[in-house]
Amino acid sequence: EEARIDTDKAKGLMHNASVLVLSGMIEWHERRLDESEAELQDALTLDAGQCEAAFLLGAVRAERRQWASGARNG
């Protein structure tokens, strides 16, 4: 819960791929898959080379059984 609060504050101060990855990771752990997918996709839009975002996005999509979209980046 504290991590979610800190991440929400960080998103209010800056908008970058690293903050979005952290936010998406926390949302994934909280089982908020729609929000996680959106944050991770936004991170990849900002930085297509963000490997952790791509990995986590694939994991979220696999968990949602979106096999075809989980196999591609974005």
Side-chain angles (χ1 to χ4, degrees):
E1 186 176 316
E2 290 178 30
R4 162 72 16 231
I5 292 167
D6 289 343
T7 304
D8 288 343
K9 286 180 188 176
K11 286 191 314 187
L13 298 171
M14 64 183 81
H15 186 76
N16 65 46
S18 296
V19 171
L20 292 170
V21 170
L22 180 59
S23 181
M25 182 185 307
I26 292 167
E27 288 167 342
W28 179 46
H29 284 284
E30 292 176 337
R31 316 314 310 151
R32 296 172 53 189
L33 300 181
D34 289 339
E35 294 87 350
S36 178
E37 184 173 7
E39 296 280 15
L40 295 167
Q41 184 60 61
D42 287 349
L44 284 170
T45 298
L46 289 174
D47 180 359
Q50 178 52 265
C51 296
E52 193 167 9
F55 174 80
L56 291 169
L57 182 59
V60 169
R61 289 179 174 169
E63 193 165 327
R64 296 175 79 184
R65 304 218 185 289
Q66 295 175 333
W67 307 119
S69 64
R72 67 178 188 274
N73 181 5

